Amino acid sequence: MLSRINGRTRLAAWRKSQAVLWTAACVVTVGFLIGLEFTARHYGLAGPITTQAREMIFAPKSGVLLYTGLALTMVVLTWRQRFVALGVAVGIDVVFFLVRWAADAKMMFGNGALWVILGCGVIAFTRRTGRERALLLKGVGLGLVLVAGRKAGDAWLLITPKARPMVLDQYLATADHALGDPSWLMGRIVEASGPVGNMVLDRVYGGLAVAAVVVTLYQLRNVASERRFPAHHLVRTFLVIGLLGPGIYMLFPVVGPIFAYGPGASGTGGLEWAVADLWPDVLPTNAPHWMVYDDITPRNCMPSLHTAWATAIFIHTRKGSRILRFAGTFWLIATLAATLGFGYHYGTDLVAGVVFALTIEAGLRSLARGWDRSGTLLVVYGTAVFAAFLAMYRYLPVEMGRHPWVFGPLLILAMISVIYSYVRTTRSWEPEAVPVRQPEPQPELV
C-alpha cells in the first residue's frame, strides 16, 4: 500500500513538473517572438508575429511549410479526423484560390492549413477536457511552433545585416587554412561534377526541412494510438538550434566565402563588397581584419546551422529502419558537401556546427530524462569546446593559418572528443537489456 501511494505521489509530481516545464517553454517562446517583433520593427522590418498574422488572409510565403505544420498537428488525430482536417484545409484553400484568381492577386496555397491548425486549438479549448485537451494542444503547439520558428528565423536573417554591418570573414578564411581550405576544394569538385552534381546537392541543401519532417513523423507515428508524445523528438532539437544559432550570428557575423571572396549566390552584384573574386580558384592570403559588407546579405555562417540540423537528423535516425538510417547518413554527408561546395560556409563553420548540435542534443536529452552528473558534464564540455573554437577563430587565425599541422588536428580531435563523449554518455543512459531466463528442463518421468 505504501509503495502504491509513493508511486502515485511520484507520478503526480512528474506531471506537475511537466506542466510547469510546458508553461515555462510557452512563456519563453512567446516572449522571444514579441522581443523579435519589436527588434524587427526597430529596423523597419516586419516581425514574425506580423508576417504570420498576415498569412491568415494574404498569400503565404510558403504553403508547403503551413501544410507541414498541419501534418505535425495531425499526429494526435485519428485517421478519420486527419482526412476531415485535410479536406477542410484543401476546401478553404480552394475558396482563397478562387477569390485571388478573381482579384488577380498573388497566388499561393496554405491559408487553409493555418486555419485548420487554429481551429484544432479552438476545439481543444471548447470540446476537449483533461488529457485529450492537453494532447490536442500539444499537437497544435507543435504545428504552430514549426511555422513560428521559420518566421523567427527569417526575421533573424533580416536583422543580422542591419545590426552587424561589418563581418569577420577574413578571420575565418585565414583560420580555415588549418583545415586545408575545404570550401575552396569542394567548390572546385562541385564545379567539376557539372549540372547533375549541382542539382543533387541543391535539392539536398534546400530539402533539409522536408527530411526533418519525415524523420519527425516517423518518431511521432504512434502518438495517436498511445495518446502521448515521446519524451524527446527531433522537432525540439531543430527549434532550439534555430533559436540559439542566430544569437551566435550576432556575436560572430560572417557572410560566407562565395560572398566575401566571390560574386555572391546569384552570381552578380556581390563583387562590389567582396575582397576579390577568388572563390573557389585562388586561396586568400591577406591579413585578417573586419570588413564592411552590404545591409542585405544575412550574417548566418558561424556556426553552420545546416550542419547542425543535418547532424541532428543523423542522430535521430540511428534508431529507425535501415532505410531511414541510410537516408540520415546520406543527408548529413550531402549537406556537408553542399555547404562547402556552394561556398556558403567555411570548414571552421562546420566543425563548430557539429559541436553546437551535439551540445544542444545532450542538453535536451538530459532535460527529458532528468539532469544528472553525466549530462551536466557533457553539456559543459560541449559548451567549453564551442566557446574555445570561437575564441581561436577570432584571436588566433594567423597562428592557425601558419601552423596547420598543429591547429588542424587540434580542431578535429576536439570535435571528435565531443562526439565520443556524447556517444559514450548517451549509451550509458540506455536501459540495459535483461536476458530472459530460460526454464530449466524437467526430468522425464519413467
Side-chain angles (χ1 to χ4, degrees):
M1 178 65 70
L2 183 60
S3 61
R4 184 180 300 175
I5 294 175
N6 290 335
R8 290 176 179 175
T9 303
R10 286 194 298 267
L11 179 61
W14 180 82
R15 287 179 176 174
K16 183 178 180 180
S17 65
Q18 289 294 102
V20 171
L21 182 62
W22 274 97
T23 303
C26 291
V27 171
V28 171
T29 301
V30 172
F32 173 78
L33 291 174
I34 292 175
L36 200 56
E37 179 76 20
F38 280 105
T39 304
R41 292 295 185 90
H42 173 73
Y43 290 106
L45 305 170
I49 299 176
T50 301
T51 55
Q52 190 61 73
R54 284 177 53 86
E55 290 187 352
M56 293 189 66
I57 303 297
F58 297 97
K61 181 179 179 180
S62 173
V64 174
L65 176 67
L66 292 173
Y67 270 94
T68 299
L70 177 60
L72 292 180
T73 298
M74 290 194 299
V75 298
V76 304
L77 305 179
T78 64
W79 278 107
R80 179 180 176 276
Q81 292 169 339
R82 290 169 185 172
F83 285 121
V84 171
L86 183 60
V88 172
V90 173
I92 294 174
D93 268 329
V94 169
V95 174
F96 273 97
F97 183 89
L98 294 175
V99 172
R100 289 182 183 129
W101 177 73
D104 195 24
K106 179 183 176 181
M107 306 299 291
M108 178 54 71
F109 64 94
N111 302 86
L114 182 58
W115 277 97
V116 170
I117 294 174
L118 296 175
C120 288
V122 173
I123 291 174
F125 279 111
T126 59
R127 305 291 296 275
R128 298 287 187 271
T129 58
R131 294 184 62 184
E132 291 298 314
R133 172 186 289 177
L135 185 68
L136 185 53
L137 285 177
K138 287 181 181 179
V140 171
L142 192 65
L144 288 179
V145 164
L146 176 70
V147 177
R150 175 63 179 271
K151 298 300 180 185
D154 291 343
W156 264 118
L157 295 184
L158 294 174
I159 290 171
T160 54
K162 307 291 185 182
R164 306 294 281 169
M166 303 185 74
V167 297
L168 287 164
D169 280 78
Q170 295 191 44
Y171 288 81
L172 285 191
T174 304
D176 225 33
H177 296 334
L179 296 173
D181 302 286
S183 180
W184 271 255
L185 175 61
M186 281 302 304
R188 292 193 291 270
I189 292 176
V190 170
E191 282 188 350
S193 68
V196 175
N198 272 272
M199 181 188 68
V200 171
L201 293 181
D202 183 65
R203 293 293 183 272
V204 170
Y205 190 84
L208 187 66
V210 176
V213 170
V214 170
V215 176
T216 300
L217 292 177
Y218 177 82
Q219 290 181 322
L220 304 181
R221 65 193 182 280
N222 296 323
V223 168
S225 59
E226 296 178 356
R227 313 310 294 165
R228 64 181 182 86
F229 276 84
H232 178 56
H233 50 81
L234 180 60
V235 172
R236 300 176 69 199
T237 307
F238 249 65
L239 290 174
V240 175
I241 289 174
L243 290 174
L244 297 182
I248 311 299
Y249 294 164
M250 303 295 279
L251 297 175
F252 210 107
V254 182
V255 292
I258 198 172
F259 295 98
Y261 294 95
S266 63
T268 58
L271 290 175
E272 177 184 354
W273 299 94
V275 176
D277 189 5
L278 304 178
W279 188 89
D281 300 312
V282 181
L283 295 177
T285 58
N286 53 304
H289 58 272
W290 286 85
M291 59 178 286
V292 178
Y293 209 79
D294 65 21
D295 61 351
I296 299 174
T297 306
R299 280 58 166 154
N300 61 340
C301 282
M302 176 55 67
S304 169
L305 294 196
H306 260 77
T307 298
W309 283 321
T311 302
I313 290 175
F314 175 81
I315 293 171
H316 282 263
T317 54
R318 293 310 89 196
K319 292 186 178 180
S321 63
R322 179 178 297 180
I323 294 177
L324 201 64
R325 294 197 303 270
F326 173 79
T329 303
F330 167 78
W331 221 269
L332 175 60
I333 295 173
T335 299
L336 296 179
T339 55
L340 293 173
F342 291 149
Y344 297 149
H345 288 280
Y346 303 91
T348 48
D349 303 336
L350 273 61
V351 172
V354 171
V355 174
F356 186 69
L358 291 174
T359 304
I360 289 176
E361 179 70 15
L364 291 175
R365 284 178 181 263
S366 296
L367 188 63
R369 67 181 295 273
W371 284 96
D372 60 9
R373 184 174 181 272
S374 62
T376 302
L377 289 177
L378 179 58
V379 172
V380 170
Y381 180 63
T383 303
V385 171
F386 181 76
F389 282 170
L390 295 184
M392 290 171 63
Y393 300 160
R394 175 63 178 86
Y395 298 106
L396 298 175
V398 175
E399 288 75 9
M400 293 176 68
R402 287 176 179 171
H403 307 285
W405 291 107
V406 175
F407 286 95
L410 180 63
L411 291 177
I412 300 301
L413 287 174
M415 180 185 71
I416 292 175
S417 71
V418 176
I419 296 173
Y420 173 76
S421 299
Y422 175 85
V423 172
R424 185 185 63 180
T425 302
T426 53
R427 281 183 178 175
S428 70
W429 294 343
E430 298 294 334
E432 295 183 3
V434 180
V436 179
R437 184 176 181 181
Q438 300 295 331
E440 297 181 1
Q442 298 294 328
E444 296 183 3
L445 297 177
V446 179

